[in-house]
Amino acid sequence: EGVMFKYKNEIMKRCLELTEPVFGPYEYQVLDVSMNRRRALNSLIIGQPNNIYIAPADSEWDAKTIAIKIPIRKGLLSYRLLLVHKDNLDKFSSVKTLEDLKLLTAGLRVGWVTADIFKTSAIESTLSPTFEGLFLQLKNRRFDYLPRSLYEVFDDLTIRPEILKDVVIEPNIALFIPMPTYIYVSNKEPQIAKRLEAGLKLLVNNGELDVILNRHYGQAITNANIEGRTVIKIPNPYFDIDNNAFDHKHWLML
């Protein structure tokens, strides 16, 4: 996971360090296990093998675990850039609105929150059961675009130079899907949830969250150049329609 993995770990460790005076010593262990969302939720419900998981906001997770509703990435996941096969680039030259986007097909992974959101908004998508399968399908032009967060998209290309040698980042469009990332804690560990929430509040209030975020993601935010793009907004049913989820300032100042 690269940057994402390092960022999440640093946030978790700082939350635990900052709360040591009140909550005492801690033991923090990262499980080297690949989990899809369903398996991760099930493991939180029973409290093992893991009792903490960081994931995009989800109503089912809110209901079945303890959600710490402080966005640990300040809504950075809300912004998506599009990976596109270079031979399909001209399809995007006239895309300015959500209705225009609906004429094209996205590639998404089964189980992603984004897949549910696209389905609700009636945006055509092709689903892959595996993550790497998405890139192979993109290479073979089975769909028109693969939406990736602005901190993933550059790494995607760097990590797979052979498969994606004919794939580029579409230069003029960004998607905005309001999507906070929360720490979810097993219901069996209310004290851990209390501690992490206290730690996160300290990180927000002392400005350290901004500093850590900028250190890990600042370059990607600059490279993404959101202000120079047409931003297409896609509603997330997780939020009430009339709240400020679509207000960029509510999320991240780019």
Side-chain angles (χ1 to χ4, degrees), residues 82 89-104 145 170 172-173 175 230-232:
L82 311 182
L89 259 180
D90 34 341
K91 288 186 180 184
F92 293 83
S93 55
S94 57
V95 175
K96 304 281 183 243
T97 67
L98 181 53
E99 292 312 307
D100 296 336
L101 188 72
K102 286 181 180 182
L103 299 173
L104 301 171
Y145 64 99
E170 198 287 327
N172 303 311
I173 297 166
L175 308 185
T230 299
V231 177
I232 296 173

Side-chain angles (χ1 to χ4, degrees), residues 132 154-162:
E132 289 304 324
F154 302 103
D155 284 347
D156 287 342
L157 290 174
T158 309
I159 291 165
R160 302 170 186 83
E162 270 311 296

Side-chain angles (χ1 to χ4, degrees), residues 3 76 79-82 149-155 157-158 169-174 214 216-229 254:
V3 173
L76 199 58
Y79 295 91
R80 310 296 172 98
L81 302 186
L82 311 182
S149 77
L150 58 81
Y151 53 82
E152 294 164 328
V153 72
F154 302 103
D155 284 347
L157 290 174
T158 309
I169 298 169
E170 198 287 327
N172 303 311
I173 297 166
N214 198 51
H216 286 274
Y217 296 122
Q219 193 57 57
I221 292 169
T222 303
N223 292 348
N225 183 30
I226 297 295
E227 286 175 353
R229 294 172 176 270
L254 292 176

